[in-house]
Structures are given as C-alpha cells and as structure tokens.
Amino acid sequence: MAFWPLGLMDLSLLLKKIYLIAIAMTISLVGCGQSTPTPDPDPLIVNLRELLDMRDQNEVAMDSKYKGELVEMHGIVEEIHDGELKILPLDSDFLQMSGAVCKFEKANPVMIERLQTIVKGDVGIIRGTIKDVDDFMFTEIEMDPSLLVLEPSN
C-alpha cells in the first residue's frame, strides 16, 4: 500500500509530459498557422470561338469539360465595367454578341490599374475559372474570378 500513492504521482506526471509533448508536436506540424503557399496551377489555353461553338453544338460536353476549369483566352474588349469585363472572340464582326463575361473583385488594385490601360476594341488576355454559361439570347461564358493578364501563359 505504501507504493500506491507514489505510483499514482508518477502516472500523473507521465500523463502531463505526454500531453505537453502532444501539444508541442501539434504546434510544430501546423506551423503556427503558416503554410507554404501552393503555386497557381497553369491555366488551360483555350480559344473563345471554339468554346462558343462547342457550347452551341453540345452543351453537356462543353460544361463537363470546362466548367470549374482555370482557363486563359484572348478576346476583343467589348465592355469595361466596375467588377466585370466582356470580351468577344478575335474573329468577331460588328454583330457578334456571344463572348465571355469576366468578373473580378471591384477593389482589386491590380485589375483597376490594368483596366485603366485598355479601351473598347483592344485585344485582351483573360485568365479565370469558368463558373457558368448563360445562353438565354446569346451565349456568355461567365468567368469568376478572373484577371486581365499582361503576359500570356506558355
């Protein structure tokens, strides 16, 4: 009986040490909330005209292949608004209405600076994630978030 209280104290001390070691390991594994940033994936280089044609021919095929994908495309700047930019295919005529609507955060200083350098009719390179396609009267590929890029991807 004389050894029972001593054994209980040793067990309590051992459990405290294990608990402290577990906390230290957790902190070291988590890294105090800092992690190595993952690089942005390379976008798929696509042709806006081909996407629109594919959508006209087979809505299911286009949606399953490209919805949710990060893409990059060239287009003629048609409209510039707060929070969005519309581009048309490069081979468009003056009657072209189908294109891509590229949405971005209004407070994004990089986009604001880049948008100040372009005008309607310029050729722009857009990189973004295809979120949806609206084909009510004409087809608009919605990209959100998106970015006007100055250098094309390789």
Side-chain angles (χ1 to χ4, degrees), residues 14-111:
L14 180 64
L15 288 175
K16 285 180 183 177
K17 286 182 180 180
I18 291 172
Y19 180 72
L20 290 174
I21 290 171
I23 290 175
M25 287 178 63
T26 303
I27 290 173
S28 69
L29 290 174
V30 172
C32 297
Q34 296 180 4
S35 64
T36 306
T38 56
D40 290 335
D42 289 333
L44 296 171
I45 308 300
V46 297
N47 181 299
L48 179 54
R49 168 67 62 211
E50 290 173 5
L51 286 182
L52 294 169
D53 289 347
M54 184 179 195
R55 177 67 182 205
D56 286 343
Q57 294 168 10
N58 188 334
E59 182 176 322
V60 175
M62 190 275 188
D63 287 354
S64 64
K65 186 171 182 179
Y66 291 105
K67 258 190 180 177
E69 293 293 326
L70 178 65
V71 299
E72 183 174 291
M73 63 181 74
H74 288 74
I76 300 169
V77 175
E78 175 64 15
E79 297 174 11
I80 305 168
H81 299 287
D82 242 2
E84 82 181 29
L85 172 74
K86 182 174 180 178
I87 61 170
L88 302 177
L90 293 176
D91 60 351
S92 297
D93 61 20
F94 69 96
L95 297 175
Q96 178 75 40
M97 295 179 76
S98 295
V101 176
C102 312
K103 299 185 180 224
F104 55 90
E105 189 178 318
K106 289 181 184 182
N108 182 335
V110 173
M111 274 300 282

Side-chain angles (χ1 to χ4, degrees), residues 6 16 20 23 34 92 109 117-118 121 125 135 154:
L6 183 60
K16 285 180 183 177
L20 290 174
I23 290 175
Q34 296 180 4
S92 297
T117 67
I118 63 171
I125 304 168
D135 54 5
N154 296 330

